[in-house]
Amino acid sequence: MSTLNVGLVQHACSGDLQQNLAKSIEGITDAAENGAKLVVLQELHRSLYFCQVESTDLFDLAEPIPGPSTELFGALAKELGIVIVTSLFEKRAPGLYHNTAVVLESDGSIAGKYRKMHIPDDPGFYEKFYFTPGDMGFEPIQTSVGKLGILVCWDQWFPEAARLMAMSGAELLIYPTAIGWNPDDDEAEQNRQRDAWVTIQRSHAIANGLPVVAVNRVGHEADPAGGPGTEFWGTSFVAGPQGEFLFEADTESELSVVVPVDLARSESVRRWWPYLRDRRVDHYGDLLKLYRD
């Protein structure tokens, strides 16, 4: 297929796991009813973004893969005849956890998974406490709707990750995300941060000649430790292979939307702008160094 209808589900989360699940299911179902063949959920959509604090009790949110969520979303994918990209807190073994995106095929099976490679550790985003860095590399996942380059949130700031997915044949770059503002920052700083987030991902689309799908949550989530919490800025979007906006959500709305994406356009764009042809791999060895002195 040339044109792929991609569904994006952007919503707020609460401490009620069943309510969050109901929102995700409603968004997926609505997207499928409006023609989506691929639906992407936001990062860690089952719960509040728990990484604002470090608490060993919160490891109880994790689950195995396969497990309850993959069974549920797999059954939903099969019922609706679509591919679903979920984002789960994976319990791999006692004491070993990952931030993992899972792709459910339209027959209900697990097409593949991706374990988040770049793990942040910043105020309000203490992910290194919870997640072991991924060990599966940057490998696209083959599905009935195309070869999907799945990356997760903090990965979106690293051009190397997008490039390696593109070099492995990804037809689409997908970023489930949970990112927001510190409410104490002034409006100018908040806008700079959001604009940077959008710009870096559009640049991955341009540099690799691929469409990009980014799905983020909305709403304020309080800091259990008493800090300002995080105001998630939404702005889920789809960009074409020249970075052009095909869709952009606002910063507050809960929504389920379907965006047509022309996968065949990447071939034309790469012929016009042959970045992959003109790379000088014979002079890029220093990219493997931590810092070039």
Side-chain angles (χ1 to χ4, degrees), residues 139-174:
E139 295 294 334
I141 296 171
Q142 183 66 60
T143 74
S144 59
V145 297
K147 204 169 185 180
L148 309 181
I150 312 292
L151 297 161
V152 178
C153 201
W154 193 235
D155 292 324
Q156 65 211 175
W157 300 94
F158 295 84
E160 298 88 349
R163 177 70 88 201
L164 287 168
M165 283 292 189
M167 290 171 60
S168 296
E171 297 175 78
L172 191 68
L173 297 176
I174 297 174

Side-chain angles (χ1 to χ4, degrees), residues 43-265:
E43 183 185 19
L44 301 172
H45 50 81
R46 291 183 62 249
S47 67
L48 292 167
Y49 179 73
F50 52 87
C51 306
Q52 291 197 69
V53 294
E54 297 181 351
S55 170
T56 54
D57 290 342
L58 292 172
F59 285 100
D60 291 340
L61 290 169
E63 61 180 292
I65 298 172
S69 288
T70 56
E71 289 179 11
L72 187 152
F73 286 110
L76 186 61
K78 183 176 182 179
E79 175 188 344
L80 299 174
I82 63 173
V83 175
I84 299 174
V85 178
T86 68
S87 174
L88 303 175
F89 185 12
E90 178 187 7
K91 182 177 182 179
R92 183 175 182 179
L96 184 60
Y97 302 83
H98 297 282
N99 186 335
T100 303
V102 185
V103 180
L104 288 313
E105 185 52 273
S106 58
D107 63 0
S109 65
I110 295 177
K113 63 185 178 183
Y114 166 81
R115 292 179 174 137
K116 186 173 180 177
M117 294 284 280
H118 302 95
I119 310 297
D121 189 67
D122 299 297
F125 296 87
Y126 297 114
E127 294 197 13
K128 280 186 166 65
F129 182 78
Y130 296 99
F131 307 130
T132 298
D135 59 349
M136 302 179 73
F138 301 103
E139 295 294 334
I141 296 171
Q142 183 66 60
T143 74
S144 59
V145 297
K147 204 169 185 180
L148 309 181
I150 312 292
L151 297 161
V152 178
C153 201
W154 193 235
D155 292 324
Q156 65 211 175
W157 300 94
F158 295 84
E160 298 88 349
R163 177 70 88 201
L164 287 168
M165 283 292 189
M167 290 171 60
S168 296
E171 297 175 78
L172 191 68
L173 297 176
I174 297 174
Y175 295 97
T177 299
I179 190 170
W181 294 304
N182 180 334
D184 289 344
D185 287 338
D186 62 35
E187 183 177 358
E189 175 58 26
Q190 291 178 345
N191 287 333
R192 282 192 293 269
Q193 292 178 8
R194 187 179 70 95
D195 288 348
W197 176 78
V198 172
T199 300
I200 190 67
Q201 292 176 92
R202 291 177 70 194
S203 75
H204 298 330
I206 297 166
N208 294 289
L210 290 178
V212 166
V213 176
V215 183
N216 189 25
R217 65 176 68 197
V218 294
H220 180 265
E221 296 187 16
D223 179 357
T230 300
E231 189 76 32
F232 291 94
W233 64 50
T235 319
S236 301
F237 71 91
V238 180
Q242 290 172 294
E244 71 275 20
F245 280 117
L246 304 180
F247 169 79
E248 184 180 22
D250 64 26
T251 60
E252 299 178 354
S253 299
E254 296 187 297
L255 57 83
S256 173
V257 65
V258 178
V259 183
V261 178
D262 183 0
L263 299 181
R265 181 169 168 75

Side-chain angles (χ1 to χ4, degrees), residues 280-287 292:
R280 289 300 307 275
V281 296
D282 51 332
H283 286 279
Y284 292 166
D286 283 352
L287 287 176
R292 187 178 183 186

